[in-house]
Amino acid sequence: MARIVPHGAATTLPCGATAQHPTILRTMARPDTPASRMPNALPVPASLQAAAQAARARGEPLVVMVTLAGCAFCDIVRNSHLLPMLRRGEVQAVQIDMLDRRTPLLDWRGQTTTGYELARAWRIGVAPTLLFVDDRGRELAERLEGMGVPDFYGPYLEQRLAHARARLRQAAGQAPDAPQPR
């Protein structure tokens, strides 16, 4: 379902952000379209614990993108930032659809859950939200919520990644600024 928003009207987008634009064409999110079936999707983990352990083995935090089908801001974050970084081997990232009640995945304790249940447990109400976590599910850096100003998103993402990497190194007993193999 698409909707045209009249000139000057403010509206809440499906991704939770408020937009004011002359004409906005948007697609409403459908809870029956999980992240795994989104075009240009990041990997959808079967197990968060296994995904985080794989990231840890590379000396990286796991970036968990909590997303929403039909969210234009989510598409920008995924396609302009995370997918290129993932393809270059610069980041370990997965995505979880915050409305997906069907796709089972294992949480940090090995318990079966869904993206919907995780988003509620994490108290996420805005998509996209990026979490930077270790192999136990602990957040290593401040969440990156929403999209704000697109020109600044890349630097905000890099800042959060640098902080999360430094905390991982610190936990491993290494100097916070020691380089990590990729």
Side-chain angles (χ1 to χ4, degrees), residues 63-75:
V63 178
V64 179
M65 179 182 184
V66 181
T67 187
L68 187 62
C71 168
F73 294 124
C74 298
D75 292 341

Side-chain angles (χ1 to χ4, degrees), residues 156-167:
Y156 290 148
L157 175 57
E158 290 294 337
Q159 178 187 43
R160 301 300 201 295
L161 279 169
H163 185 78
R165 288 172 178 143
R167 292 217 27 221

Side-chain angles (χ1 to χ4, degrees), residues 14-16 48 63-68 74 95-99 108 114-133 139 143-146:
C15 41
L48 283 171
V63 178
V64 179
M65 179 182 184
V66 181
T67 187
L68 187 62
C74 298
Q95 69 181 11
I96 295 171
D97 187 320
M98 66 190 293
L99 294 182
W108 310 108
T114 65
Y116 175 80
E117 291 167 349
L118 283 170
R120 286 183 53 125
W122 289 331
R123 296 183 178 185
I124 294 175
V126 175
T129 294
L130 300 186
L131 305 175
F132 305 86
V133 298
E139 292 187 47
R143 295 174 178 192
L144 194 48
E145 297 177 307

Side-chain angles (χ1 to χ4, degrees), residues 43-151:
V44 176
S47 166
L48 283 171
Q49 188 178 52
Q53 287 171 347
R56 177 64 183 222
R58 295 191 52 190
E60 290 287 332
L62 178 66
V63 178
V64 179
M65 179 182 184
V66 181
T67 187
L68 187 62
C71 168
F73 294 124
C74 298
D75 292 341
I76 292 168
V77 169
R78 182 177 18 261
N79 297 331
S80 297
H81 298 283
L82 293 177
L83 274 172
M85 293 174 83
L86 180 70
R87 290 177 180 141
R88 291 189 304 262
E90 298 172 356
V91 71
Q92 294 289 114
V94 296
Q95 69 181 11
I96 295 171
D97 187 320
M98 66 190 293
L99 294 182
D100 185 1
R101 296 176 188 232
R102 296 181 186 173
T103 307
L105 67 122
L106 298 177
D107 67 12
W108 310 108
R109 297 180 315 267
Q111 302 295 313
T112 301
T113 188
T114 65
Y116 175 80
E117 291 167 349
L118 283 170
R120 286 183 53 125
W122 289 331
R123 296 183 178 185
I124 294 175
V126 175
T129 294
L130 300 186
L131 305 175
F132 305 86
V133 298
D134 67 9
D135 57 340
R136 294 185 192 165
R138 295 179 298 205
E139 292 187 47
L140 300 168
E142 182 182 351
R143 295 174 178 192
L144 194 48
E145 297 177 307
M147 180 144 185
V149 180
D151 291 344

Side-chain angles (χ1 to χ4, degrees), residues 2-7 9-11 13 18-26:
R3 183 176 104 157
I4 303 288
V5 178
H7 175 53
T11 185
L13 297 174
T18 300
Q20 190 164 354
H21 192 272
T23 305
I24 297 173
L25 176 65
R26 67 184 175 117

